[in-house]
Amino acid sequence: GAVVSQHPSWVICKSGTSVKIECRSLDFQATTMFWYRQFPKQSLMLMATSNEGSKATYEQGVEKDKFLINHASLTLSTLTVTSAHPEDSSFYICSASYLAGRTYEQYFGPGTRLTVT
Amino acid sequence: RKEVEQDPGPFNVPEGATVAFNCTYSNSASQSFFWYRQDCRKEPKLLMSVYSSGNEDGRFTAQLNRASQYISLLIRDSKLSDSATYLCVVNANDYKLSFGAGTTVTVRA
């Protein structure tokens, strides 16, 4: 299957700092990537849809100025959590859309576990 | 109402048993359906797509009932390694996915 990498896999930062997370599709080009957040024992919640070369589309309730998304190439999207606070601690997962036959399948990166102290 | 609803379980079954569970979705325009598997503290991994006619992949069988808007997953001859959370995933267009909260399955020796 398609491979998506994510870096870093975990990060601990102090409140008020910014954290950048990278998502890469390694063996295919992804015009669309997605950023999710998952709290313990909850489902994945879509934060934003990232399209190469254009502005990301944010879901309702997600602050675009706090969660900056850049999709500079067909294989790389980045999420920057600005001025992180403890409530931003979560599991952040990216995915990339891949056309498999007649269906768009999504393949996920391994996730980034963010802890803000 | 949530877009995708699942019985959270947990389903505790012995090795070799058959376990089955469903999920329901609210958007009748949904086009694609999937089962993903998520292990603790890991990312979801695609288990199988679900087709209208139903499909099988080894010990896993998925069914889709569009009239009643539910999807099922059946696992035969359960293995210890099948212990995981199974996510029901639906999308109404080519891109955005809606996730259920997951059904936890624990297979015991």
Side-chain angles (χ1 to χ4, degrees), chain B residues 87-98:
Chain B
L87 305 175
C88 177
V89 183
V90 172
N91 77 345
N93 59 41
D94 286 334
Y95 300 110
K96 290 173 63 172
L97 299 181
S98 296

Side-chain angles (χ1 to χ4, degrees), chain A residues 78-90:
Chain A
T78 60
L79 168 69
T80 302
V81 183
T82 62
S83 187
H85 291 284
E87 58 265 29
D88 298 324
S89 299
S90 186

